[in-house]
Amino acid sequence: MGAAFLASWPWDNLGFFKYVLYGPLVGRAVASRAWEPSSPDHWLFLLLALFALRAFTYQLWSSYSNMLFLTRRRRIVRDGVDFEQIDNEWDWDNFLILQILMAATALYAFPSLQRLPGWDGRGLAVAGLLHVAATEPLFYVAHRAFHGGRLFSRYHALHHSMKVPTPFTAAFATPLEHLVLAALMALPLAGACAAGVGSVGLAFAYVLGFDFLRAMGHCNVELFPAGIFRAVPFLRYLIYTPTYHTVHHTGKEANFCLFMPLFDRLGGTLDANSWDLQTKNRAGADEVPDFVFLAHVVDVMQSMHVPFVMRTFASTPFAVRAFLLPLWPISLCFMFMVWAWSKTFVISYYHLRGKLHQTWAVPRYGFHYFLPFAKDGINDQIELAILRAEKMGVKVVSLAALNKNEALNGGGTLFVNKHPDLRVRVVHGNTLTAAVILNEIPEGTAEVFMTGATSKLGRAIALYLCRKRIRVMMMTLSKDRFQRIQKEASPDHQRYLVQVTKFQSAGQCKTWIVGKWLSPREQRWAPPGTHFHQFVVPPILGFRRDCTYGKLAAMRLPKDARGLGSCEFSLERGVVHACHAGGVVHFLEGYTHHEVGAIDVDRIDLVWKAALKHGIRPV
């Protein structure tokens, strides 16, 4: 059986090129300099501006709903928005293309509409009256009809297929539904114009207000103080709340109104529990995470790679996008603000095996970690986050790359030594990081070259490899540090650890393990066909076309991770840094020790097997 009439968008196959449909309107506006008030096509500029503001309205509501540091306690549906839903709602703005073409057609068909005055206050009264008397009841009837039989299965089920309401869900519907909605939205404006009291200001106010309320109802965050409805009981029938509309999404059998619950009351479809749920959701409730990954910001551009800036961007591996460059100055200002005033905050979450896992961000950027005067402030932020987690009852806190820097806090030992009675387990995750790197090294490798060889990770990797009788050329100028590590190996294995002080020594070695930044000049000493394994932050840049470059150690979360909708920096979907995965293993295994300081080489294989046992897989 073929698809139902107007159940799919005619430009579905165009992908990003659907925006070419704006081309004729934009081209005409540019050609006629429509932004100038004296232009005969000034109305076209106003129309494009209105629709740009409409898109911005939905984006602002999406940003707000994803500001977990403000909204997490008052979220209505507690599940996270996953990649599947984000992808399904990718084309949420299809309705804007449809409706701007409809509006442009109307303006061409009725030229008098192109010469509306800027404002006429009488039009607001007429439009308000028509909205209540016509748009609201007609939407109620149409909405109930779309919930019946074939209309629901062929059309409206798409809107209800989203697990978690979001502002973009409000716009996620079939062309037929948006045609009906556009007609109902146009009624008050058409009535005001027919009465001779229409205006440009009225069009902007009514349409943007309409979108504002639609997005608000789907934002999944309860906004209205319950006291307002207790003070003015009848107000609850004049304006719906996010909880009220979410009840409709979860049950599908009540609360059909557009914005005014009065019509559900008159139609007998008002869920009596809506007000109690609204009061409960407004009061809020804390969900205590069992696991926290304590991350940090890499740089100004990467700071925009979070759901509350643009969730679609955050759901893909990070890359510098041209359309974000104009936002760089704003992000720079934000950097100074969080540096001055912010504390660690929640940026994302997911559920695994029924347990809540959150990512918190230390409000410091990568370069801060290399400023001597910023060291104490960063450690204070990390310590406060650990103590906050302790107070909440978090089981494990895992530290991201720079938050566990040896020079900063001894790989976390500073906090464990300062607070010996911590119940929350502090984990640097480096044991699993080492395991990931070691398991990437091909079978039969006889020799490796390593920079950063005397670091915490370098030491563990070198000691592990020498046990396998693999020769390790440890690049270091410090003879004392090399000898300390060499003495940790058994006498039979010490000869496999070799100190080198020049890159020329690795001229024949095709397996490089990089724990310290390599310049293009230093990379030139590697022979053709070399593979660079990395544990350096930030990762080295690939200058050699005749060589291959590994990414930072990472692992894929188990398939039953639920509500995962953002990527960790440049990693693929569902993939997290090994230190993150290491903390997850620590939690799932119920380890009772802190994993801080030096890596226990004897535990590398144990932790690797535990990760695989729990479905955490190499990339």
Side-chain angles (χ1 to χ4, degrees):
M1 185 175 65
F5 178 64
L6 290 177
S8 61
W9 296 93
W11 49 80
D12 265 347
N13 294 327
L14 294 180
F16 183 80
F17 292 102
K18 70 181 182 180
Y19 296 111
V20 172
L21 296 171
Y22 286 109
L25 298 179
V26 174
R28 175 70 181 271
V30 172
S32 62
R33 303 176 67 88
W35 54 87
E36 297 178 353
S38 59
S39 171
D41 289 323
H42 186 59
W43 63 271
L44 192 51
F45 167 75
L46 296 173
L47 184 65
L48 291 168
L50 172 61
F51 276 77
L53 288 173
R54 295 185 71 184
F56 190 54
T57 298
Y58 285 92
Q59 177 56 53
L60 284 179
W61 271 110
S62 176
S63 293
Y64 172 75
S65 67
N66 283 295
M67 291 179 179
L68 299 177
F69 48 90
L70 294 178
T71 64
R72 69 184 184 281
R73 297 190 72 254
R74 295 179 285 112
R75 291 182 72 81
I76 302 164
V77 178
R78 294 296 177 120
D79 289 339
V81 179
D82 59 21
F83 293 119
E84 182 181 1
Q85 178 169 342
I86 292 172
D87 288 345
N88 287 336
E89 292 179 347
W90 189 282
D91 291 317
W92 67 271
D93 59 344
N94 277 338
F95 83 102
L96 292 175
I97 298 175
L98 171 68
Q99 291 183 7
I100 197 171
L101 295 176
M102 293 172 64
T105 301
L107 286 163
Y108 274 114
F110 302 98
S112 60
L113 297 178
Q114 300 176 14
R115 297 183 292 275
L116 289 175
W119 178 251
D120 188 330
R122 296 171 297 172
L124 191 61
V126 173
L129 180 63
L130 287 172
H131 176 86
V132 175
T135 299
E136 287 281 351
L138 288 174
F139 178 89
Y140 176 80
V141 171
H143 194 181
R144 289 197 66 176
F146 272 114
H147 272 263
R150 291 186 176 181
L151 282 178
F152 183 82
S153 61
R154 294 184 176 184
Y155 297 98
H156 200 50
L158 182 69
H159 179 70
H160 279 275
S161 65
M162 299 299 99
K163 299 175 184 177
V164 182
T166 73
F168 295 143
T169 306
F172 184 66
T174 60
L176 178 62
E177 292 172 280
H178 277 300
L179 283 170
V180 172
L181 188 64
L184 295 178
M185 186 168 61
L187 274 176
L189 296 176
C193 291
V197 291
S199 65
V200 172
L202 174 64
F204 271 72
Y206 181 74
V207 172
L208 292 177
F210 196 98
D211 288 328
F212 182 92
L213 292 175
R214 286 267 294 166
M216 179 201 73
H218 290 80
C219 76
N220 196 36
V221 179
E222 185 48 59
L223 304 167
F224 290 83
I228 292 179
F229 298 112
R230 288 195 297 267
V232 188
F234 189 67
L235 186 62
R236 66 182 58 177
Y237 296 110
L238 300 182
I239 183 67
Y240 77 161
T241 68
T243 296
Y244 186 92
H245 192 68
T246 301
V247 169
H248 169 74
H249 266 266
T250 54
K252 304 182 184 69
E253 296 178 354
N255 299 5
F256 293 94
C257 75
L258 179 57
F259 305 133
M260 298 177 66
L262 172 65
F263 293 94
D264 280 309
R265 182 73 177 85
L266 296 175
T269 55
L270 194 153
D271 189 309
N273 294 320
S274 299
W275 315 122
D276 291 337
L277 286 172
Q278 191 274 334
T279 300
K280 178 182 176 182
N281 289 329
R282 175 60 193 183
D286 272 322
E287 281 189 301
V288 177
D290 290 278
F291 168 78
V292 167
F293 179 56
L294 193 58
H296 56 80
V297 186
V298 176
D299 55 33
V300 174
M301 285 302 295
Q302 192 267 335
S303 69
M304 291 183 267
H305 193 251
V306 288
F308 62 81
V309 173
M310 195 174 293
R311 73 165 198 187
T312 301
F313 178 44
S315 72
T316 58
F318 172 78
V320 177
R321 310 291 174 89
F323 69 89
L324 289 175
L325 292 177
L327 298 178
W328 193 90
I330 299 174
S331 297
L332 183 64
C333 293
F334 182 77
M335 181 200 74
F336 288 113
M337 290 170 58
V338 298
W339 190 3
W341 298 305
S342 180
K343 296 181 180 179
T344 301
F345 56 92
V346 184
I347 56 173
S348 65
Y349 68 95
Y350 61 92
H351 289 84
L352 180 62
R353 317 277 158 85
K355 303 297 183 180
L356 178 62
H357 292 211
Q358 289 182 344
T359 295
W360 298 359
V362 174
R364 295 295 182 268
Y365 291 59
F367 75 91
H368 289 138
Y369 289 80
F370 301 97
L371 300 176
F373 62 84
K375 176 180 176 180
D376 291 340
I378 293 172
N379 279 330
D380 288 345
Q381 289 279 351
I382 298 171
E383 181 180 4
L384 287 173
I386 292 172
L387 294 178
R388 175 186 165 201
E390 167 84 357
K391 185 176 180 180
M392 292 173 65
V394 176
K395 303 295 190 303
V396 173
V397 172
S398 185
L399 305 177
L402 295 178
N403 287 331
K404 61 188 177 188
N405 187 285
E406 191 71 23
L408 183 70
N409 51 47
T413 56
L414 173 68
F415 314 113
V416 172
N417 293 338
K418 187 175 180 180
H419 302 281
D421 297 325
L422 282 175
R423 295 184 302 276
V424 61
R425 298 298 144 193
V426 181
V427 176
H428 57 42
N430 283 335
T431 308
L432 186 58
T433 302
V436 171
I437 295 169
L438 288 165
N439 280 276
E440 288 177 352
I441 297 174
E443 289 285 341
T445 299
E447 183 180 59
V448 301
F449 171 73
M450 182 161 51
T451 66
T454 60
S455 66
K456 183 164 47 187
L457 264 168
R459 163 196 163 274
I461 292 170
L463 290 173
Y464 184 96
L465 289 175
C466 77
R467 293 181 182 183
K468 301 293 183 180
R469 302 185 183 277
I470 296 174
R471 185 171 184 263
V472 183
M473 290 184 284
M474 301 174 65
M475 175 71 177
T476 177
L477 298 178
S478 174
K479 187 173 183 178
D480 289 341
R481 295 179 69 178
F482 166 74
Q483 289 179 342
R484 280 199 299 269
I485 295 173
Q486 189 182 44
K487 288 177 182 178
E488 289 189 64
S490 67
D492 290 342
H493 299 141
Q494 288 181 3
R495 61 192 176 92
Y496 291 99
L497 299 180
V498 180
Q499 181 186 7
V500 297
T501 58
K502 296 181 180 181
F503 288 94
Q504 293 92 318
S505 303
Q508 302 300 318
C509 181
K510 293 187 176 183
T511 302
W512 284 37
I513 302 175
V514 182
K516 188 176 181 181
W517 178 262
L518 292 181
S519 67
R521 183 176 181 179
E522 291 166 338
Q523 291 181 35
R524 288 176 186 168
W525 291 106
T530 295
H531 182 77
F532 295 92
H533 303 270
Q534 302 192 57
F535 63 92
V536 59
V537 179
I540 63 173
L541 301 177
F543 291 98
R544 294 278 300 272
R545 293 186 178 182
D546 57 349
C547 297
T548 54
Y549 294 79
K551 294 185 178 181
L552 292 178
M555 297 198 77
R556 190 175 300 279
L557 288 174
K559 294 180 180 179
D560 57 333
R562 198 164 43 84
L564 191 63
S566 59
C567 293
E568 279 195 5
F569 196 35
S570 60
L571 300 180
E572 300 172 21
R573 288 179 167 186
V575 176
V576 297
H577 291 96
C579 51
H580 182 153
V584 174
V585 171
H586 205 93
F587 168 69
L588 293 175
E589 283 291 291
Y591 293 146
T592 57
H593 65 281
H594 297 288
E595 185 191 332
V596 294
I599 298 171
D600 184 348
V601 181
D602 294 329
R603 294 187 60 83
I604 291 176
D605 287 335
L606 179 68
V607 171
W608 177 254
K609 291 176 182 177
L612 299 181
K613 179 182 75 174
H614 288 289
I616 301 173
R617 301 289 174 184
V619 180

